Amino acid sequence: MIPSSLKYQAIFWLCLTSFLVWDTSVSPPVDLRNEPPLIAAGSGKPSSGGHCAISK
Amino acid sequence: MKRLPLSLLLLLFFLFLAWTVSIRQAVLFAVGIGMGAALAGARFGFTTGWRQLIEQRDPRGVMGQLVLLALASVFSLTLLGQYPELTAALGPPSISLLVGAFVFGLTMQIADGCGSGTLYKAGLGIPLNMGILPLFAIGSFLGSVQVGDWLKLGQIAPIGLVTEFGSSQAILITLFGLAIMALAARLWVGRGKTWWDRKWLIGALALSILAALNLIIAGQPWGVVYGFGLWAAKIANAAGLFDPAANAFWSQAGNAQRLNEMVLMDITSITNIGILGGALWISARASSDGKPLTSTQWMVGLVAGFLMGYSSRLAFGCNIGAMLSGISTGSVHGWIWVPLAFAGTLIGVRIRRHYQF
């Protein structure tokens, strides 16, 4: 018999994986030629990522 | 799941990211795994540390957090002074911040997990935190939709210590502020207490290094909440439930772009997924079954999780985005966040006791 916590865990990971698969399938493909530098520090390119602290 | 197959799955996902998204995102995923393993392995709970200080006058958790803040500040403020392309976690001091931090501090005690706590406990397989995570995301999304209206109540421009005083002085000011916090904890707990715990100190060291790596690689500090809000926003957008072009937050160029891109390209999303994976890896050898909750406790916990997500957006971050990243990158909003969240926690621990969590 599978413990209930393992069942919940399986459902949780199934939902997360399904979301990621769905999102990857409906989003435009990644432009690999426009890949950001591996390390931002010293690259001269400021980060353009989202962050919790931003107000806009 | 056993650790070996789990390690192989994580490695496969790392290679998938490196091949199809970018090497940077793959490396950030690995950093996230480290964060999740450090948080779960050391049980580095910000919520628990505060509660132990209040209820048992046990300062070990809070001292571990102060060591983390001090180390991360020295690393991050030095880096910000050296590399102008790195950005700080600058949030605007505002009415929104005051309300959001207070409500977040209150609800995180009921939900028994802050932003990072919810993530790593969900990764460990604790049922309440797994249930809270989607509601946290919905709350975070709704908060982002309404944050523009909250800001109209009053705000000033974000203040960064590095910009105002330079890197060296920013470090001194930050360490002085942290020493004041340690002194306040000392006055509260009195004499004869154990101050340090090896587990908390190892967690603090590991997390400070990983937070610095996040800043070096991504160019921005560690965050949690933005990723959650983005996930819910993508679903709401796909379902036609809101119009991002008509919203102050989501119509901004950067946010609109991320709404259109796949989430695997988003920095906070990828470290969030890594944290879940790292905690899952730890859970392979640790029992994570908590005590069963009553239906009332479930209901109260889930509502608290939703409010936590909403308030974290108003507060411009949770314990990671506002407190750790805010303070360690010299943002004044992080220093405002802490006392307000702590005031909320003073009420939150009483509500938690009332519902017998």
Side-chain angles (χ1 to χ4, degrees), chain B residues 155-242:
Chain B
Q155 63 163 321
I156 60 171
I159 305 165
L161 295 182
V162 176
T163 312
E164 295 291 326
F165 304 106
S167 180
S168 304
Q169 282 196 33
I171 292 173
L172 290 176
I173 293 167
T174 302
L175 292 180
F176 179 73
L178 295 174
I180 298 281
M181 282 190 192
L183 185 64
R186 168 72 181 79
L187 291 173
W188 165 248
V189 301
R191 290 170 183 244
K193 296 284 182 181
T194 306
W195 283 85
W196 308 106
D197 184 295
R198 192 165 168 266
K199 179 194 77 167
W200 281 98
L201 292 176
I202 291 171
L205 179 64
L207 289 171
S208 64
I209 293 169
L210 291 161
L213 278 176
N214 191 103
L215 180 62
I216 291 168
I217 297 165
Q220 66 179 54
W222 179 13
V224 169
V225 173
Y226 185 88
F228 285 157
L230 179 65
W231 298 0
K234 292 207 109 192
I235 293 171
N237 190 32
L241 295 175
F242 95 114

Side-chain angles (χ1 to χ4, degrees), chain A residues 5 8-9 20 22-23 27-28 32 35 37-44 46-56, chain B residues 20-24 83 85 90-91 130 216-222 224-225 234 238 255 258 260 262-263 280 289 313 316:
Chain A
S5 62
Y8 289 134
Q9 223 172 350
L20 294 176
W22 165 77
D23 178 71
S27 302
L32 292 172
E35 185 173 330
L38 169 58
I39 296 172
S43 69
S47 170
S48 58
H51 192 270
C52 341
I54 58 168
S55 57
K56 288 180 180 176
Chain B
T20 63
V21 183
S22 70
I23 296 173
R24 181 196 280 190
Y83 299 104
E85 62 271 32
L90 297 176
M130 288 191 289
I216 291 168
I217 297 165
Q220 66 179 54
W222 179 13
V224 169
V225 173
K234 292 207 109 192
N255 296 324
R258 280 178 286 279
N260 188 45
M262 66 172 70
V263 291
L280 180 65
D289 280 340
R313 270 297 355 164
F316 304 102

